C-alpha cells in the first residue's frame, strides 16, 4: 500500500483558497498566507515546564486568502466547516467588552470569561483580539481559511489556523509581525481567548518551521536552533499514523497534567520542572512521592527524563553516521514514559507504536498532547509497506477505525505564499 498523499499540490490548494474567497466574499484576495501543522519528534509535555522540545513543521498547512475591508468588520470563513463568523473589530475592545485591560506582555493566561465568540471561531477571532490588545492596527478584513491539516489528529491544526490568520491580518493591515511575535501572540490567543492552556510548542513550530530541519527549542529562553534532519539521505522517513481518535476528549487530562507539574515544581521549590536535573531526580522523586503522592512523582519523572531525551536525541543527530536505531530507541523510551508515567497515551496509540516496531520500524511514539491523535514511526523506506500493512491489520483486528498514514516532511514555517 502506498503512503497516501491526498493533500494535493500546494499550488492547487492556493487556487482553491483564491476561488473559495471569490465565491464567498466576491472580489479578489490581496494575498494568500500559509502556516503549517507540526509533528513533535521528541520532547512531549515539556513545553509548559520551561523544557526542551524538538518539533518540525510539516507539509500540511492552513491557508488564509484575505483582503482588507473599508469598514471595521472581520469576516472569517472556514471552508472545511462551511461556516462564517462576522463581527466588528470594535466589539473586541473597549469598555464592557471581554477584552478588558489585559496587555500582551501580561504572563497571566487566565481565559476570558465571556469571549465574544466560542467554538472554532474563537481561534481566528482570538487572534484578531490579541493583536489589537498588543497595539497592532488591525483593519477590517475578509479571511477565507482552508486547511490540509486533519482536525483532532494532534498535528496542531489550531496553531496552523491561528498563525495563518495572524499573518493574513498583518498582511492586509500592513503591519509587520516578527516570527517570535507571531508565535507568542497566537499562543496567547489560544490560552486566553480560546481558553486552551497549551504551551508554546505548536505555535512556535508553525511560526519557525524550516525546510529539512527539526527545531531544537529551549522553551524557557525561546531560543530556536534548527537541526539537520535529512532522513531521505538515510533511506528512511518519519511516518505519521493518524489513529483518527480525536484528542479533544483529553482536554481535562491536559490541564490536570499541567497543574500537577506546576504543583510539583512549587513543592520542590523550583521555578519549573526544567530546573530538576537527571542527577536530582531520585531525590526529587522520593520527596514528591512522600509529599504529594506517587502519581505526582511519576509526572515529574516523565518531564525530567523527557528533557534529557531531547538533548540525547539532538546529540545523536550530530553523530556521523546518524544511528537510526539509537534515535528510535529514544522515541520508544519517550513513548513508554508518556504511557506509564505521564498516562496520556491511548490504546490505539500504544497499538500503533508496538505494531510499527514489531514490523521493523526503528522506533515510534505518540506525538502531541496524546489521549488520541497521531503516532510517528521512524521507518526505513523499504519497510514502509510492511509497517503500514501491519498497523492496518492490527487496527482491523481490534475493531479500531482505520488509521491514516502520511510521511512527515520537515517544511517551512508560516509565510506569505501568493
Ligand atoms: C499539545 C499542546 C502543546 C504541548 C503538547 C505536548 O500539543 O498544545 O503546547 O504541551 O500538547 O507536548
Amino acid at each position: 500500500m502506498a503512503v497516501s498523499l491526498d493533500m494535493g499540490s500546494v499550488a492547487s490548494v492556493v487556487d482553491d483558497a483564491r476561488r473559495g474567497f471569490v465565491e464567498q466574499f466576491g472580489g479578489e484576495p490581496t494575498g494568500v498566507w500559509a502556516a503549517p501543522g507540526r509533528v513533535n519528534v521528541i520532547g512531549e509535555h515539556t513545553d509548559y515546564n520551561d523544557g526542551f522540545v524538538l518539533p518540525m513543521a510539516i507539509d500540511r498547512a492552513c491557508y488564509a486568502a484575505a483582503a482588507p475591508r473599508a469598514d471595521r468588520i472581520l469576516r472569517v470563513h472556514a471552508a472545511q466547516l462551511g461556516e462564517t463568523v462576522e463581527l466588528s473589530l470594535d466589539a473586541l475592545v473597549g469598555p464592557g467588552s471581554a477584552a478588558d485591560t489585559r496587555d500582551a506582555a501580561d504572563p497571566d493566561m487566565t481565559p476570558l470569561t465571556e469571549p465574544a465568540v466560542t467554538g472554532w471561531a474563537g481561534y481566528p477571532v482570538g487572534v484578531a483580539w490579541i493583536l489589537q490588545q498588543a497595539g497592532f492596527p488591525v483593519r477590517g478584513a475578509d479571511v477565507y481559511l482552508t486547511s490540509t491539516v486533519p482536525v483532532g489528529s494532534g498535528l496542531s491544526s489550531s496553531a496552523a489556523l491561528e498563525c495563518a490568520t495572524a499573518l493574513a491580518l498583518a498582511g492586509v493591515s500592513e503591519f509587520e509581525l516578527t516570527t517570535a511575535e507571531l508565535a507568542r501572540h497566537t499562543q496567547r490567543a489560544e490560552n486566553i481567548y480560546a481558553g486552551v492552556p497549551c504551551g508554546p510548542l505548536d505555535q512556535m513550530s508553525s511560526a519557525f518551521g524550516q525546510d529539512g530541519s527539526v527545531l531544537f527549542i529551549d522553551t524557557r529562553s525561546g531560543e530556536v536552533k534548527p537541526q539537520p534532519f535529512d532522513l531521505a539521505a538515510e533511506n528512511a522517513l518519519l511516518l505519521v499514523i493518524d489513529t483518527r481518535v480525536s484528542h479533544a476528549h483529553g482536554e481535562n487530562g491536559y490541564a490536570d497534567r499541567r497543574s500537577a507539574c506546576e504543583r510539583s515544581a512549587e513543592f520542590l521549590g523550583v521555578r519549573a520542572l526544567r530546573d530538576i536535573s537527571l542527577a536530582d531526580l531520585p531525590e526529587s522523586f522520593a520527596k514528591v512521592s512522600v509529599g504529594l503522592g506517587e502519581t505526582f512523582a511519576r509526572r515529574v519523572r516523565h518531564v525530567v527524563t523527557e528533557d534529557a531525551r531531547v538533548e540525547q536525541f539532538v546529540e545523536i543527530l550530530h553523530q556521523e553516521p546518524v544511528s537510526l536505531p539509537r534515535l528510535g530507541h529514544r522515541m520508544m523510551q519517550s513513548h513508554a514514559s508518556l504511557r506509564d508515567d505521564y498516562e496520556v497515551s491511548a490504546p490505539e496509540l500504544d497499538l500503533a507504536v508496538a505494531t510499527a516496531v514489531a514490523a521493523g520500524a526503528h522506533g515510534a511514539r505518540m506525538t502531541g498532547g496524546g489521549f488520541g491523535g497521531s503516532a510517528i514511526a521512524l521507518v526505513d523506506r523499504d519497510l514502509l509497506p510492511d509497517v503500514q500493512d501491519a498497523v492496518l491489520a492490527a487496527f482491523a483486528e481490534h475493531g479500531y477505525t482505520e488509521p491514516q498514514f502520511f510521511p512527515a516532511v520537515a517544511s517551512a514555517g508560516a509565510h506569505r505564499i501568493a
Side-chain angles (χ1 to χ4, degrees):
M1 190 203 186
V3 173
S4 71
L5 252 185
D6 58 0
M7 61 173 288
S9 72
V10 168
S12 83
V13 185
V14 171
D15 282 351
D16 286 351
R18 285 183 170 283
R19 218 183 358 258
F21 182 97
V22 174
E23 275 166 24
Q24 193 61 39
F25 299 122
E28 289 285 330
T30 53
V32 182
W33 292 263
R38 61 103 188 88
V39 297
N40 191 18
V41 179
I42 196 162
E44 220 65 81
H45 289 276
T46 47
D47 67 338
Y48 50 82
N49 290 297
D50 279 6
F52 303 121
V53 291
L54 194 73
M56 66 192 217
I58 59 175
D59 65 348
R60 293 189 165 220
C62 180
Y63 296 79
R69 296 171 56 98
D71 58 19
R72 297 280 298 151
I73 299 296
L74 173 67
R75 286 196 294 183
V76 183
H77 181 79
Q80 277 67 35
L81 300 170
E83 288 179 23
T84 307
V85 61
E86 175 171 341
L87 80 178
S88 166
L89 288 170
D90 295 329
L92 291 176
V93 291
S97 81
D100 64 48
T101 56
R102 288 160 198 275
D103 74 54
D106 180 355
D108 181 10
M109 47 178 271
T110 312
L112 294 184
T113 44
E114 286 178 49
V117 295
T118 54
W120 75 270
Y123 293 86
V125 170
V127 168
W129 171 79
I130 195 82
L131 291 175
Q132 290 199 139
Q133 286 295 108
F136 292 102
V138 181
R139 290 178 61 178
D142 288 330
V143 183
Y144 181 92
L145 298 172
T146 185
S147 183
T148 58
V149 189
V151 173
S153 58
L155 302 172
S156 294
S157 60
S158 52
L161 184 159
E162 290 152 1
C163 288
T165 303
L167 278 192
L169 290 176
V172 300
S173 309
E174 296 178 8
F175 61 80
E176 295 287 325
L177 273 179
T178 66
T179 310
E181 284 170 337
L182 174 63
R184 173 93 185 113
H185 293 309
T186 49
Q187 184 204 342
R188 285 178 57 77
E190 181 149 348
N191 292 159
I192 301 172
Y193 206 90
V196 180
C198 65
L201 168 68
D202 306 342
Q203 291 79 10
M204 287 191 83
S205 310
S206 186
F208 283 96
Q210 282 202 10
D211 257 331
S213 296
V214 283
L215 310 170
F216 178 45
I217 304 176
D218 177 338
T219 62
R220 172 168 281 170
S221 67
E223 192 183 5
V224 179
K225 291 189 195 153
Q227 310 290 315
F229 198 57
D230 187 5
L231 290 178
E234 311 291 330
N235 281 317
L237 57 80
L238 201 60
L239 179 69
V240 176
I241 307 168
D242 177 1
T243 65
R244 296 169 75 199
V245 178
S246 171
H247 66 92
H249 67 279
E251 267 162 30
N252 292 337
Y254 186 90
D256 167 81
R257 298 305 182 279
R258 187 170 178 146
S259 73
C261 289
E262 285 162 1
R263 260 188 84 188
S264 302
E266 200 186 338
F267 177 79
L268 289 167
V270 291
R271 185 169 141 200
L273 292 183
R274 144 67 175 280
D275 297 308
I276 308 293
S277 68
L278 265 188
D280 295 337
L281 182 58
E283 196 189 327
S284 303
F285 186 92
K287 266 196 203 158
V288 174
S289 287
V290 173
L292 298 175
E294 199 242 342
T295 301
F296 281 76
R298 286 189 288 113
R299 306 295 189 244
V300 171
R301 182 164 62 191
H302 166 70
V303 173
V304 174
T305 57
E306 185 77 353
D307 268 337
R309 281 186 288 271
V310 177
E311 293 187 288
Q312 292 157 3
F313 197 97
V314 171
E315 268 170 38
I316 300 169
L317 283 181
H318 284 274
Q319 288 163 2
E320 279 280 349
V322 172
S323 164
L324 299 183
R326 291 189 67 204
L327 293 178
H329 182 61
R330 293 295 178 281
M331 293 170 72
M332 298 304 289
Q333 289 178 322
S334 168
H335 186 77
S337 178
L338 288 156
R339 182 191 60 210
D340 303 335
D341 272 353
Y342 218 62
E343 297 178 281
V344 292
S345 190
E348 292 83 352
L349 289 167
D350 295 340
L351 183 67
V353 166
T355 309
V357 170
H362 293 288
R365 58 181 292 277
M366 53 160 273
T367 187
F371 303 104
S374 299
I376 48 173
L378 183 59
V379 185
D380 288 334
R381 279 182 177 272
D382 56 353
L383 284 179
L384 186 60
D386 296 359
V387 169
Q388 291 185 132
D389 287 348
V391 173
L392 280 174
F395 271 56
E397 199 179 304
H398 282 74
Y400 294 162
T401 305
E402 188 175 303
Q404 272 171 359
F405 303 96
F406 62 92
V409 178
S411 300
H415 62 288
R416 182 173 189 151
I417 198 160

